[in-house]
Amino acid sequence: MTAAEVGLEVTDGVAVITLDAPGRRNALTLDMARELGEVVARVDADPRVRAAVVRGNGGHFCAGAHRALLDDVAQDPADPRRYADLGVVYDSFYRLGRLGVPVIAAVRGAAVGAGVNLLLAADVRVVAERARILAGFGAIGLHPGGGHLLLAAAALGRSGAAALTLLGQELDGPAALRTGLAWACVADDEVDAHALALAAAAPADPELSRRITASFRRSIGPSAVEWEQAMEAERASQMWSLRRRAQR
């Protein structure tokens, strides 16, 4: 049995979800993505929880999907098993984004590719001054996936999303704050505490917090239908780009 790579602690109604594979900068393997989805489901099912924080251990947030997973999918993207494997990665941040309580991302170090999707899935982002936020899909020959374009536009607007996704621009903490991607930019060693303080400000009554969050998700979006459509719209092109990269 493999060691757990996603930690969960619940204190005073705040769930802290920790990506814990620092040796690879918390890059998502298939097992880790599946575990993340399961942990999020546990949080959603816990009536004590009124807010959640997602963070990375070891100085980085998430370096995206692990290269070995992408290379495996690239061998035959139409293969049902490989197609489903990539869907597990999509599902991990989709579940986070549909969690029934407010979600705060505590972002230190690198957030790349699917790691950017993970922070975009959160409702609020606290970013370290020295964070490095880079979509990075095009730089490695990949089309974005997981509804990335929709999530980026929701957070950054059309121009900001274009800079991030079409032109491969990198954001540090101050730039993330300036563009509206981040709610707060603080020193690296203050990120977790600031995110926890925000989570603690959620209504003390978990049921009230969940009802407000449900109304927020219905009213503000992206709706579940929009996100699912965006994932499917991007998926075929991402599969094509994976296969194309493998053939070079």
Side-chain angles (χ1 to χ4, degrees):
M1 185 175 182
T2 59
E5 292 187 328
V6 181
L8 173 62
E9 296 182 1
V10 179
T11 304
D12 296 329
V14 175
V16 178
I17 301 168
T18 300
L19 307 182
D20 193 12
R24 56 174 190 272
R25 297 187 301 168
N26 300 316
L28 296 170
T29 62
L30 180 61
D31 287 343
M32 187 178 183
R34 186 177 288 116
E35 186 181 356
L36 175 58
E38 292 169 352
V39 167
V40 171
R42 284 166 53 196
V43 172
D44 218 11
D46 187 341
R48 300 172 300 162
V49 175
R50 58 193 178 94
V53 172
V54 59
R55 60 180 297 278
N57 193 18
H60 292 286
F61 186 67
C62 176
H66 195 266
R67 291 293 182 90
L69 171 59
L70 295 176
D71 290 345
D72 179 64
V73 173
Q75 298 308 307
D76 185 3
D79 173 68
R81 191 268 299 171
R82 291 183 169 96
Y83 188 90
D85 285 353
L86 193 59
V88 171
V89 177
Y90 291 173
D91 189 57
S92 65
F93 43 78
Y94 178 78
R95 286 192 180 191
L96 184 74
R98 304 307 300 169
L99 188 55
V101 297
V103 179
I104 299 97
V107 182
R108 293 177 297 130
V112 182
V116 176
N117 285 356
L118 195 62
L119 69 87
L120 288 173
D123 299 302
V124 176
R125 291 160 284 274
V126 177
V127 178
E129 293 171 348
R130 295 184 294 175
R132 298 185 60 199
I133 300 169
L134 177 67
F137 293 103
I140 60 171
L142 288 185
H143 188 283
H148 173 81
L149 300 173
L150 174 74
L151 298 176
L156 290 160
R158 191 179 192 279
S159 180
L164 181 72
T165 64
L166 304 184
L167 304 178
Q169 297 301 291
E170 180 178 315
L171 300 176
D172 60 10
L177 182 63
R178 185 174 63 251
T179 57
L181 179 66
W183 170 256
C185 172
V186 298
D188 287 36
D189 60 359
E190 297 175 8
V191 169
D192 288 352
H194 198 98
L196 286 168
L198 279 174
D205 178 353
E207 185 174 0
L208 176 61
S209 182
R210 288 171 179 264
R211 283 182 176 268
I212 296 173
T213 301
S215 295
F216 179 87
R217 303 223 188 288
R218 285 193 298 267
S219 301
I220 306 302
S223 72
V225 172
E226 288 174 334
W227 196 344
E228 289 170 2
Q229 289 174 336
M231 284 194 291
E232 289 308 309
E234 293 174 2
R235 189 165 188 157
S237 290
Q238 187 173 63
M239 293 294 199
W240 166 83
S241 67
L242 280 163
R243 183 64 178 269
R244 187 168 180 260
R245 189 179 71 159
Q247 292 174 336
R248 286 181 172 176

